[in-house]
Amino acid sequence: MSIINWPIIYLNDPLKGRPLFSGQIFVGEPDLDPVININQKQLNVIEENGTVVPVSQPFILSAGGNPVYNGNPVRLDVDGNYSIKVLNNLGVQTYYVENVNTTTSSS
């Protein structure tokens, strides 16, 4: 049996319960504000065919609250641990995680 892990992000507006259309995603160094250019890490998209493409920030969400590149849904990729901030279409912070730890521990 396998657990389905859906790799496409869907972001909703937590106050309105609707997709976070035209939201802005910023990704940066852990514990630093990723909106500030010097703190940003290289953000990549992984297309359906596996192609990795570097993209600039902010990365804008589709009307459906998903990351889309060239009209297709994509996965987002960054190297190592990171901070992530998501702003709504008005530039108001909707989500912020100061340190996403990508390492896994074994017990």
Side-chain angles (χ1 to χ4, degrees):
M1 184 176 346
S2 296
I3 296 174
I4 295 175
N5 181 6
W6 188 249
I8 304 296
I9 296 172
Y10 165 74
L11 291 168
N12 69 311
D13 185 325
L15 300 177
K16 298 179 183 173
R18 298 187 303 231
L20 193 60
F21 70 94
S22 299
Q24 305 169 31
I25 297 177
F26 294 88
V27 178
E29 294 294 332
D31 301 315
L32 297 175
D33 185 353
V35 172
I36 300 170
N37 286 341
I38 197 153
N39 297 339
Q40 292 177 355
K41 294 184 83 168
Q42 179 58 57
L43 181 63
N44 303 301
V45 297
I46 302 174
E47 297 182 291
E48 290 176 338
N49 65 3
T51 303
V52 177
V53 179
V55 293
S56 61
Q57 296 187 54
F59 190 83
I60 307 300
L61 295 169
S62 72
N66 302 102
V68 173
Y69 183 75
N70 289 336
N72 296 312
V74 292
R75 294 180 289 158
L76 299 178
D77 179 66
V78 66
D79 215 10
N81 295 355
Y82 58 93
S83 62
I84 185 167
K85 185 179 277 189
V86 180
L87 308 179
N88 68 14
N89 64 328
L90 300 175
V92 176
Q93 179 177 311
T94 305
Y95 296 100
Y96 176 65
V97 180
E98 66 277 354
N99 190 350
V100 178
N101 187 342
T102 59
T103 60
T104 57
S105 61
S106 58
S107 31

XYZ file of all heavy atoms in Angstrom:
827
model
N 0.844 -1.168 0.000
C 0.000 0.000 0.000
C 0.893 1.236 0.000
O 1.890 1.278 0.692
C -0.905 0.006 1.228
C -1.844 1.141 1.203
S -3.100 1.338 2.490
C -3.228 -0.131 3.381
N 0.524 2.251 -0.771
C 1.287 3.489 -0.851
C 0.407 4.683 -0.494
O -0.748 4.752 -0.910
C 1.832 3.702 -2.264
O 2.741 2.691 -2.593
N 0.995 5.612 0.246
C 0.297 6.848 0.570
C 0.515 7.813 -0.581
O 1.632 7.982 -1.065
C 0.838 7.449 1.877
C 0.536 6.496 3.035
C 0.247 8.827 2.131
C 1.140 6.921 4.349
N -0.534 8.442 -1.029
C -0.429 9.414 -2.113
C 0.041 10.739 -1.525
O -0.580 11.280 -0.611
C -1.773 9.588 -2.846
C -2.147 8.273 -3.542
C -1.705 10.752 -3.822
C -3.497 8.294 -4.193
N 1.146 11.229 -2.039
C 1.698 12.509 -1.618
C 1.547 13.473 -2.783
O 2.273 13.382 -3.763
C 3.169 12.337 -1.231
C 3.786 13.633 -0.761
O 3.113 14.645 -0.605
N 5.078 13.611 -0.540
N 0.602 14.376 -2.684
C 0.318 15.306 -3.777
C 1.356 16.415 -3.753
O 1.392 17.221 -2.830
C -1.082 15.890 -3.607
C -1.530 16.693 -4.770
C -1.710 18.045 -4.801
C -1.858 16.231 -6.070
N -2.123 18.448 -6.035
C -2.220 17.340 -6.842
C -1.859 14.979 -6.666
C -2.587 17.245 -8.172
C -2.229 14.890 -7.991
C -2.589 15.998 -8.719
N 2.228 16.500 -4.751
C 3.323 17.475 -4.719
C 2.945 18.885 -5.170
O 3.753 19.792 -5.069
C 4.339 16.866 -5.684
C 3.513 16.086 -6.643
C 2.334 15.570 -5.856
N 1.729 19.095 -5.670
C 1.315 20.418 -6.118
C 0.698 21.168 -4.938
O -0.219 20.678 -4.286
C 0.292 20.328 -7.280
C 0.844 19.520 -8.447
C -0.146 21.723 -7.716
C 2.053 20.107 -9.128
N 1.209 22.352 -4.694
C 0.729 23.181 -3.585
C -0.616 23.815 -3.947
O -0.814 24.250 -5.073
C 1.732 24.314 -3.295
C 3.064 23.754 -2.811
C 1.177 25.291 -2.266
C 4.139 24.816 -2.689
N -1.506 23.841 -2.977
C -2.736 24.642 -3.092
C -2.759 25.550 -1.883
O -2.691 25.085 -0.740
C -3.984 23.760 -3.101
C -5.247 24.564 -2.856
C -5.767 25.382 -3.837
C -5.885 24.535 -1.624
C -6.898 26.145 -3.618
C -7.025 25.288 -1.385
C -7.522 26.091 -2.385
O -8.637 26.857 -2.160
N -2.835 26.843 -2.117
C -2.897 27.798 -1.017
C -4.241 28.508 -1.031
O -4.670 29.016 -2.065
C -1.765 28.821 -1.136
C -0.372 28.239 -0.889
C 0.702 29.213 -1.313
C -0.209 27.876 0.573
N -4.871 28.517 0.124
C -6.144 29.208 0.246
C -5.983 30.408 1.164
O -5.034 30.486 1.942
C -7.230 28.275 0.779
C -6.986 27.912 2.219
O -5.892 27.514 2.598
N -7.992 28.047 3.045
N -6.886 31.340 1.047
C -6.932 32.484 1.944
C -7.609 31.999 3.221
O -8.795 31.659 3.204
C -7.717 33.628 1.308
C -7.695 34.885 2.148
O -7.705 34.778 3.389
O -7.673 35.973 1.554
N -6.887 31.943 4.346
C -7.476 31.378 5.559
C -8.643 32.189 6.118
O -9.455 31.661 6.876
C -6.307 31.346 6.547
C -5.339 32.347 6.037
C -5.527 32.404 4.549
N -8.761 33.443 5.736
C -9.861 34.270 6.232
C -11.105 34.176 5.369
O -12.214 34.419 5.835
C -9.418 35.736 6.331
C -8.237 36.001 7.265
C -7.843 37.470 7.214
C -8.557 35.561 8.685
N -10.922 33.815 4.098
C -12.055 33.780 3.175
C -12.394 32.373 2.701
O -13.453 32.162 2.130
C -11.770 34.674 1.966
C -11.587 36.124 2.351
C -11.281 36.972 1.159
C -11.044 38.406 1.592
N -10.596 39.232 0.492
N -11.487 31.405 2.889
C -11.753 30.037 2.477
C -11.760 29.829 0.975
O -12.301 28.852 0.481
N -11.177 30.768 0.245
C -11.116 30.674 -1.217
C -9.653 30.558 -1.644
O -8.759 30.846 -0.868
C -11.726 31.922 -1.846
C -13.189 32.104 -1.522
C -13.794 33.249 -2.306
N -13.088 34.500 -2.071
C -13.671 35.637 -1.728
N -14.978 35.699 -1.582
N -12.967 36.732 -1.533
N -9.414 30.193 -2.887
C -8.030 30.133 -3.365
C -7.333 31.483 -3.196
O -7.953 32.540 -3.318
C -8.163 29.800 -4.851
C -9.505 29.194 -5.004
C -10.363 29.815 -3.946
N -6.060 31.428 -2.909
C -5.259 32.637 -2.762
C -4.786 33.065 -4.143
O -3.641 32.877 -4.526
C -4.077 32.361 -1.828
C -3.306 33.558 -1.316
C -4.213 34.491 -0.525
C -2.167 33.097 -0.444
N -5.720 33.619 -4.928
C -5.419 33.979 -6.310
C -4.409 35.114 -6.373
O -4.442 36.034 -5.560
C -6.693 34.358 -7.067
C -7.299 35.662 -6.641
C -6.987 36.832 -7.317
C -8.162 35.717 -5.573
C -7.532 38.038 -6.930
C -8.722 36.923 -5.175
C -8.403 38.084 -5.851
N -3.491 35.002 -7.294
C -2.438 35.998 -7.507
C -1.601 36.267 -6.261
O -1.029 37.343 -6.115
C -3.020 37.309 -8.040
O -3.652 37.088 -9.274
N -1.528 35.274 -5.369
C -0.654 35.394 -4.205
C 0.802 35.365 -4.641
O 1.131 34.929 -5.739
N 1.666 35.846 -3.767
C 3.093 35.909 -4.053
C 3.856 35.023 -3.085
O 3.685 35.149 -1.871
C 3.593 37.341 -3.904
C 2.849 38.351 -4.727
C 3.222 39.767 -4.327
O 4.333 40.030 -3.913
N 2.274 40.677 -4.435
N 4.694 34.144 -3.621
C 5.515 33.264 -2.797
C 6.955 33.769 -2.811
O 7.518 34.027 -3.866
C 5.475 31.811 -3.310
C 4.060 31.251 -3.210
C 6.462 30.942 -2.529
C 3.929 29.846 -3.756
N 7.525 33.894 -1.608
C 8.932 34.245 -1.440
C 9.601 33.129 -0.648
O 9.037 32.667 0.357
C 9.084 35.542 -0.652
C 8.566 36.760 -1.352
C 7.242 37.144 -1.220
C 9.409 37.536 -2.136
C 6.761 38.282 -1.849
C 8.930 38.673 -2.777
C 7.605 39.047 -2.630
N 10.795 32.717 -1.061
C 11.536 31.665 -0.372
C 12.940 32.178 -0.103
O 13.583 32.740 -0.998
C 11.590 30.379 -1.225
C 12.403 29.306 -0.533
C 10.183 29.865 -1.506
N 13.415 31.996 1.145
C 14.725 32.526 1.495
C 15.462 31.674 2.504
O 15.043 30.568 2.843
N 16.551 32.231 2.979
C 17.365 31.568 3.995
C 16.540 31.387 5.266
O 15.705 32.240 5.594
C 18.615 32.398 4.303
C 19.582 32.511 3.144
C 20.219 31.184 2.763
O 20.358 30.293 3.623
O 20.578 31.032 1.584
N 16.767 30.287 5.987
C 16.025 30.057 7.226
C 16.185 31.222 8.209
O 17.262 31.825 8.295
C 16.655 28.786 7.797
C 17.308 28.127 6.645
C 17.716 29.222 5.712
N 15.113 31.524 8.909
C 15.073 32.547 9.963
C 15.315 33.968 9.461
O 15.580 34.861 10.262
C 16.060 32.213 11.091
C 15.766 30.860 11.717
O 14.583 30.581 11.990
O 16.709 30.071 11.917
N 15.252 34.187 8.156
C 15.396 35.522 7.594
C 14.188 35.830 6.721
O 13.569 34.923 6.174
C 16.682 35.632 6.763
C 17.991 35.433 7.525
C 19.166 35.438 6.570
C 18.163 36.500 8.599
N 13.867 37.102 6.580
C 12.704 37.515 5.799
C 12.988 37.313 4.308
O 13.840 38.002 3.735
C 12.390 38.980 6.078
C 11.123 39.460 5.399
O 10.531 38.710 4.589
O 10.719 40.606 5.682
N 12.272 36.384 3.661
C 12.556 36.098 2.256
C 12.079 37.175 1.282
O 12.408 37.112 0.097
C 11.821 34.779 2.017
C 10.716 34.766 2.999
C 11.230 35.505 4.195
N 11.351 38.173 1.763
C 10.934 39.263 0.882
C 12.148 40.138 0.530
O 12.223 40.703 -0.551
C 9.803 40.087 1.528
C 9.490 41.328 0.725
C 8.549 39.223 1.675
N 13.116 40.198 1.437
C 14.335 40.988 1.212
C 15.228 40.216 0.247
O 15.589 39.063 0.497
C 15.046 41.267 2.544
C 14.112 42.054 3.467
C 16.361 42.010 2.311
C 14.607 42.192 4.882
N 15.575 40.862 -0.874
C 16.308 40.198 -1.961
C 17.546 39.434 -1.497
O 17.780 38.316 -1.937
C 16.721 41.211 -3.038
C 15.552 41.643 -3.880
O 14.527 40.988 -3.941
N 15.707 42.773 -4.541
N 18.348 40.010 -0.642
C 19.605 39.376 -0.234
C 19.372 38.081 0.552
O 20.231 37.222 0.609
C 20.496 40.365 0.549
C 21.915 39.839 0.596
C 19.944 40.639 1.919
C 22.969 40.885 0.729
N 18.188 37.935 1.143
C 17.862 36.738 1.922
C 17.272 35.612 1.070
O 17.076 34.510 1.554
C 16.860 37.077 3.029
C 17.409 38.055 4.026
O 18.616 38.221 4.172
N 16.521 38.740 4.721
N 16.964 35.892 -0.186
C 16.274 34.915 -1.026
C 17.204 33.790 -1.490
O 18.393 33.997 -1.703
C 15.654 35.595 -2.242
C 14.523 36.510 -1.858
C 13.921 37.254 -3.035
O 14.391 37.173 -4.154
N 12.870 38.003 -2.751
N 16.627 32.606 -1.610
C 17.320 31.453 -2.171
C 16.811 31.251 -3.601
O 15.747 31.757 -3.950
C 17.023 30.200 -1.345
C 17.585 30.261 0.072
C 17.360 28.983 0.803
C 18.458 28.011 0.441
N 18.491 26.830 1.315
N 17.570 30.496 -4.379
C 17.122 30.211 -5.743
C 15.898 29.304 -5.697
O 15.951 28.217 -5.137
C 18.225 29.550 -6.567
C 17.804 29.220 -7.989
C 17.336 30.437 -8.773
O 18.051 31.398 -8.908
N 16.101 30.397 -9.258
N 14.822 29.767 -6.275
C 13.586 29.005 -6.363
C 13.503 28.407 -7.757
O 13.808 29.077 -8.744
C 12.383 29.917 -6.103
C 11.005 29.277 -6.134
C 10.873 28.224 -5.033
C 9.926 30.348 -5.967
N 13.139 27.144 -7.828
C 12.994 26.446 -9.102
C 11.604 25.864 -9.203
O 10.962 25.584 -8.188
C 14.004 25.291 -9.202
C 15.421 25.764 -9.039
O 15.904 26.596 -9.794
N 16.106 25.240 -8.041
N 11.146 25.676 -10.437
C 9.927 24.905 -10.666
C 10.327 23.609 -11.341
O 11.312 23.552 -12.084
C 8.884 25.667 -11.515
C 8.416 26.914 -10.809
C 9.394 25.994 -12.889
N 9.588 22.571 -11.024
C 9.788 21.284 -11.685
C 8.554 21.042 -12.531
O 7.447 20.893 -12.012
C 9.991 20.147 -10.669
C 11.191 20.464 -9.772
C 10.185 18.823 -11.395
C 11.400 19.474 -8.649
N 8.752 21.055 -13.841
C 7.642 20.889 -14.770
C 7.198 19.430 -14.809
O 7.880 18.540 -14.295
C 8.055 21.370 -16.161
C 8.392 22.856 -16.182
C 8.758 23.341 -17.554
O 9.818 22.968 -18.072
O 7.954 24.086 -18.121
N 6.042 19.192 -15.448
C 5.468 17.849 -15.523
C 6.440 16.830 -16.120
O 6.440 15.672 -15.743
C 4.179 17.866 -16.340
C 3.039 18.569 -15.640
C 1.798 18.667 -16.514
O 1.911 18.593 -17.754
O 0.706 18.826 -15.948
N 7.287 17.271 -17.047
C 8.232 16.347 -17.689
C 9.533 16.198 -16.906
O 10.466 15.544 -17.362
C 8.522 16.788 -19.125
C 9.244 18.118 -19.200
O 9.600 18.710 -18.180
N 9.446 18.610 -20.407
N 9.628 16.834 -15.723
C 10.804 16.719 -14.876
C 11.837 17.811 -15.073
O 12.834 17.858 -14.346
N 11.625 18.690 -16.023
C 12.557 19.773 -16.264
C 12.570 20.738 -15.081
O 11.520 21.157 -14.600
C 12.167 20.550 -17.544
O 12.120 19.639 -18.635
C 13.150 21.663 -17.833
N 13.779 21.082 -14.610
C 13.938 22.034 -13.512
C 14.281 23.388 -14.113
O 15.236 23.516 -14.872
C 15.044 21.571 -12.542
C 15.258 22.602 -11.440
C 14.706 20.210 -11.954
N 13.479 24.401 -13.765
C 13.651 25.738 -14.330
C 13.790 26.746 -13.185
O 12.900 26.846 -12.335
C 12.437 26.132 -15.204
C 12.608 27.524 -15.779
C 12.191 25.104 -16.294
N 14.907 27.502 -13.139
C 15.016 28.559 -12.127
C 14.016 29.682 -12.435
O 13.830 30.042 -13.601
C 16.457 29.056 -12.256
C 17.016 28.442 -13.479
C 16.073 27.396 -13.978
N 13.374 30.195 -11.401
C 12.397 31.269 -11.569
C 12.733 32.404 -10.612
O 13.424 32.220 -9.614
C 10.948 30.778 -11.336
C 10.514 29.811 -12.421
C 10.784 30.161 -9.966
N 12.212 33.588 -10.935
C 12.445 34.747 -10.084
C 11.368 34.829 -9.007
O 10.342 34.157 -9.072
C 12.468 36.014 -10.932
O 11.230 36.181 -11.584
N 11.649 35.665 -8.023
C 10.705 35.888 -6.942
C 10.238 37.331 -6.974
O 10.996 38.203 -7.356
C 11.367 35.570 -5.600
C 11.743 34.108 -5.485
C 12.237 33.752 -4.104
O 11.558 34.000 -3.107
N 13.421 33.170 -4.037
N 8.994 37.574 -6.582
C 8.048 36.594 -6.072
C 7.503 35.703 -7.186
O 7.411 36.114 -8.343
C 6.935 37.450 -5.487
C 6.961 38.704 -6.293
C 8.414 38.923 -6.633
N 7.155 34.489 -6.792
C 6.492 33.571 -7.716
C 5.000 33.762 -7.507
O 4.501 33.658 -6.389
C 6.899 32.126 -7.429
C 6.427 31.180 -8.495
C 7.148 31.019 -9.657
C 5.241 30.481 -8.335
C 6.703 30.162 -10.654
C 4.795 29.622 -9.325
C 5.518 29.466 -10.486
N 4.289 34.072 -8.576
C 2.869 34.424 -8.484
C 1.995 33.181 -8.660
O 2.208 32.384 -9.576
C 2.491 35.475 -9.556
C 3.432 36.687 -9.480
C 1.031 35.904 -9.402
C 3.430 37.422 -8.167
N 1.023 33.035 -7.764
C 0.074 31.922 -7.834
C -0.990 32.188 -8.895
O -1.294 33.336 -9.211
C -0.607 31.727 -6.481
C 0.296 31.301 -5.329
C -0.444 31.407 -4.010
C 0.808 29.893 -5.554
N -1.584 31.115 -9.378
C -2.676 31.227 -10.349
C -3.958 31.678 -9.646
O -4.014 31.775 -8.418
C -2.919 29.868 -11.017
O -3.532 28.985 -10.088
N -4.994 31.897 -10.416
C -6.305 32.257 -9.864
C -6.851 31.149 -8.971
O -7.647 31.396 -8.082
C -7.289 32.557 -10.978
N -6.395 29.926 -9.192
C -6.838 28.790 -8.387
C -5.990 28.535 -7.160
O -6.202 27.556 -6.448
N -4.991 29.402 -6.885
C -4.164 29.247 -5.691
C -3.047 28.232 -5.851
O -2.510 27.752 -4.860
N -2.672 27.919 -7.085
C -1.622 26.935 -7.349
C -0.437 27.586 -8.050
O -0.607 28.542 -8.797
C -2.137 25.814 -8.273
C -3.316 25.103 -7.702
O -4.437 25.358 -8.108
N -3.084 24.224 -6.755
N 0.769 27.028 -7.858
C 1.892 27.487 -8.664
C 1.750 26.967 -10.089
O 1.554 25.770 -10.303
C 3.117 26.894 -7.970
C 2.615 25.826 -7.085
C 1.160 26.055 -6.847
N 1.790 27.873 -11.043
C 1.631 27.519 -12.452
C 2.752 28.195 -13.229
O 3.077 29.363 -12.972
C 0.249 27.962 -12.976
C 0.126 27.765 -14.470
C -0.858 27.208 -12.260
N 3.338 27.453 -14.167
C 4.408 27.990 -15.010
C 4.092 27.609 -16.441
O 3.832 26.440 -16.728
C 5.751 27.402 -14.566
C 6.942 27.940 -15.303
C 7.440 29.213 -15.048
C 7.583 27.166 -16.257
C 8.545 29.699 -15.711
C 8.694 27.641 -16.935
C 9.168 28.909 -16.655
O 10.265 29.394 -17.322
N 4.064 28.593 -17.335
C 3.695 28.367 -18.743
C 2.346 27.667 -18.873
O 2.154 26.796 -19.722
C 4.768 27.574 -19.477
C 6.023 28.384 -19.723
O 5.982 29.615 -19.757
N 7.138 27.711 -19.897
N 1.424 28.002 -17.982
C 0.077 27.468 -18.050
C -0.110 26.083 -17.464
O -1.218 25.547 -17.497
N 0.958 25.494 -16.903
C 0.869 24.144 -16.335
C 1.182 24.158 -14.846
O 2.068 24.903 -14.407
C 1.858 23.208 -17.039
C 1.521 23.026 -18.490
O 0.382 22.760 -18.842
N 2.516 23.194 -19.351
N 0.499 23.317 -14.066
C 0.831 23.221 -12.649
C 2.241 22.659 -12.481
O 2.663 21.790 -13.243
C -0.208 22.253 -12.082
C -0.927 21.673 -13.229
C -0.579 22.423 -14.456
N 2.972 23.202 -11.505
C 4.353 22.784 -11.272
C 4.589 22.572 -9.781
O 3.851 23.080 -8.942
C 5.357 23.829 -11.803
C 5.329 23.906 -13.314
C 5.108 25.198 -11.188
N 5.653 21.837 -9.501
C 6.142 21.701 -8.132
C 7.212 22.762 -7.919
O 7.930 23.125 -8.845
C 6.745 20.319 -7.899
C 5.712 19.217 -7.988
C 6.313 17.863 -7.747
N 7.155 17.506 -8.904
C 8.130 16.617 -8.871
N 8.421 15.986 -7.754
N 8.830 16.338 -9.949
N 7.327 23.242 -6.699
C 8.367 24.202 -6.359
C 9.514 23.463 -5.691
O 9.309 22.488 -4.960
C 7.813 25.276 -5.426
C 6.670 26.119 -5.986
C 6.189 27.114 -4.937
C 7.109 26.847 -7.250
N 10.733 23.952 -5.934
C 11.925 23.282 -5.424
C 12.926 24.330 -4.952
O 13.107 25.364 -5.600
C 12.548 22.437 -6.534
C 13.808 21.737 -6.094
O 13.714 20.864 -5.216
O 14.880 22.077 -6.621
N 13.559 24.049 -3.819
C 14.632 24.893 -3.294
C 15.629 23.965 -2.617
O 15.266 22.890 -2.133
C 14.073 25.967 -2.326
C 13.498 25.346 -1.078
C 15.106 27.006 -2.012
N 16.872 24.363 -2.601
C 17.928 23.549 -2.022
C 18.042 23.795 -0.518
O 18.237 24.932 -0.088
C 19.255 23.921 -2.706
C 20.170 22.746 -2.878
O 19.740 21.610 -2.648
O 21.337 22.983 -3.247
N 17.906 22.746 0.284
C 18.110 22.846 1.726
C 16.954 23.471 2.481
O 15.860 23.647 1.957
N 17.227 23.802 3.753
C 16.219 24.425 4.606
C 15.918 25.831 4.099
O 16.754 26.459 3.451
C 16.712 24.506 6.043
C 16.906 23.144 6.664
O 16.597 22.123 6.064
N 17.450 23.119 7.861
N 14.726 26.335 4.415
C 14.318 27.631 3.888
C 13.236 28.263 4.753
O 12.601 27.598 5.568
C 13.812 27.496 2.448
C 12.645 26.544 2.305
C 11.333 27.010 2.365
C 12.844 25.177 2.124
C 10.263 26.135 2.244
C 11.777 24.306 1.996
C 10.493 24.788 2.056
O 9.436 23.917 1.945
N 13.059 29.559 4.559
C 11.897 30.259 5.103
C 10.967 30.514 3.924
O 11.408 30.593 2.779
C 12.313 31.577 5.770
O 12.903 32.445 4.822
N 9.682 30.633 4.215
C 8.716 30.899 3.145
C 7.687 31.903 3.647
O 7.223 31.821 4.792
C 8.036 29.605 2.638
C 7.135 29.897 1.441
C 7.312 28.884 3.753
C 6.676 28.653 0.695
N 7.400 32.866 2.799
C 6.379 33.877 3.113
C 5.458 33.961 1.908
O 5.912 33.993 0.770
C 7.010 35.233 3.388
C 6.014 36.290 3.833
C 6.680 37.619 4.132
C 7.241 37.611 5.518
N 7.713 38.965 5.933
N 4.158 33.993 2.187
C 3.163 34.118 1.134
C 2.334 35.359 1.419
O 1.815 35.534 2.526
C 2.253 32.864 1.067
C 1.230 33.014 -0.045
C 3.084 31.597 0.878
N 2.250 36.213 0.406
C 1.449 37.424 0.502
C 0.216 37.265 -0.380
O 0.267 36.584 -1.401
C 2.253 38.638 0.027
C 3.634 38.843 0.647
C 4.292 40.086 0.050
C 3.566 38.930 2.148
N -0.876 37.920 0.002
C -2.064 37.885 -0.857
C -1.883 38.865 -2.009
O -0.833 39.521 -2.125
C -3.346 38.120 -0.060
C -3.464 39.526 0.494
O -2.749 40.450 0.109
N -4.377 39.697 1.431
N -2.886 39.005 -2.848
C -2.770 39.870 -4.034
C -2.656 41.357 -3.680
O -2.297 42.163 -4.521
C -3.926 39.634 -5.004
C -5.263 40.008 -4.407
O -5.479 39.890 -3.208
N -6.173 40.448 -5.237
N -2.926 41.702 -2.434
C -2.775 43.083 -1.978
C -1.436 43.312 -1.283
O -1.158 44.403 -0.783
C -3.917 43.462 -1.035
C -5.326 43.362 -1.628
C -6.375 43.639 -0.562
C -5.468 44.308 -2.807
N -0.612 42.253 -1.190
C 0.691 42.369 -0.546
C 0.663 42.185 0.957
O 1.638 42.487 1.643
N -0.433 41.663 1.485
C -0.563 41.429 2.922
C -0.121 39.992 3.233
O -0.526 39.051 2.549
C -2.026 41.654 3.382
C -2.195 41.318 4.856
C -2.450 43.079 3.089
N 0.695 39.862 4.281
C 1.183 38.536 4.654
C 0.033 37.612 5.023
O -0.815 37.955 5.833
C 2.148 38.651 5.834
C 2.687 37.312 6.298
C 3.687 37.466 7.424
O 4.597 38.275 7.329
N 3.513 36.689 8.480
N 0.025 36.431 4.403
C -0.992 35.428 4.671
C -0.400 34.234 5.412
O -1.015 33.690 6.310
C -1.628 34.951 3.355
O -2.119 36.093 2.651
C -2.773 34.009 3.599
N 0.800 33.836 5.001
C 1.515 32.730 5.641
C 2.981 33.109 5.805
O 3.544 33.818 4.960
C 1.464 31.463 4.781
C 0.092 30.893 4.576
C -0.605 31.128 3.397
C -0.510 30.105 5.551
C -1.863 30.588 3.186
C -1.771 29.569 5.355
C -2.435 29.811 4.175
O -3.683 29.288 3.966
N 3.588 32.605 6.884
C 5.033 32.754 7.069
C 5.525 31.604 7.930
O 4.970 31.341 9.001
C 5.383 34.087 7.732
C 6.864 34.221 8.026
C 7.793 34.269 6.997
C 7.333 34.292 9.329
C 9.154 34.379 7.246
C 8.690 34.414 9.596
C 9.588 34.455 8.552
O 10.930 34.562 8.811
N 6.537 30.905 7.449
C 7.206 29.868 8.232
C 8.686 30.228 8.202
O 9.286 30.316 7.130
C 6.970 28.457 7.654
C 7.686 27.416 8.505
C 5.488 28.152 7.562
N 9.252 30.454 9.384
C 10.617 30.961 9.452
C 11.695 29.930 9.156
O 12.796 30.283 8.751
C 10.900 31.623 10.810
C 10.877 30.687 11.991
C 9.482 30.407 12.530
O 8.499 31.011 12.071
O 9.370 29.535 13.399
N 11.392 28.653 9.350
C 12.411 27.642 9.068
C 11.738 26.314 8.740
O 11.248 25.632 9.633
C 13.357 27.468 10.259
C 14.556 26.614 9.933
O 14.632 25.975 8.872
N 15.508 26.567 10.831
N 11.736 25.978 7.465
C 11.225 24.683 7.027
C 12.430 23.762 6.956
O 13.344 23.982 6.169
C 10.517 24.773 5.656
C 10.049 23.400 5.218
C 9.361 25.753 5.718
N 12.451 22.765 7.822
C 13.572 21.832 7.905
C 13.330 20.689 6.945
O 12.363 19.945 7.096
C 13.699 21.329 9.348
C 14.932 20.496 9.556
O 15.540 19.997 8.618
N 15.307 20.354 10.814
N 14.181 20.553 5.956
C 13.988 19.546 4.926
C 14.704 18.245 5.233
O 14.585 17.294 4.475
C 14.461 20.060 3.556
O 15.846 20.398 3.648
C 13.649 21.269 3.134
N 15.457 18.197 6.331
C 16.149 16.955 6.666
C 15.184 16.023 7.361
O 14.267 16.448 8.054
C 17.363 17.217 7.566
O 16.918 17.838 8.769
C 18.379 18.096 6.874
N 15.390 14.757 7.166
C 14.571 13.752 7.842
C 15.410 13.025 8.851
O 16.608 12.812 8.639
C 13.983 12.736 6.836
O 15.059 12.133 6.123
C 13.051 13.428 5.849
N 14.799 12.669 9.942
C 15.538 11.932 10.968
C 15.038 10.507 11.002
O 13.873 10.222 10.764
C 15.354 12.601 12.334
O 13.982 12.598 12.682
N 15.929 9.609 11.303
C 15.535 8.205 11.442
C 15.647 7.828 12.899
O 16.531 8.267 13.622
C 16.432 7.316 10.579
O 17.777 7.489 10.945
N 14.713 6.995 13.350
C 14.739 6.603 14.754
C 15.045 5.148 14.919
O 14.986 4.354 14.071
C 13.440 6.938 15.452
O 12.333 6.877 14.617
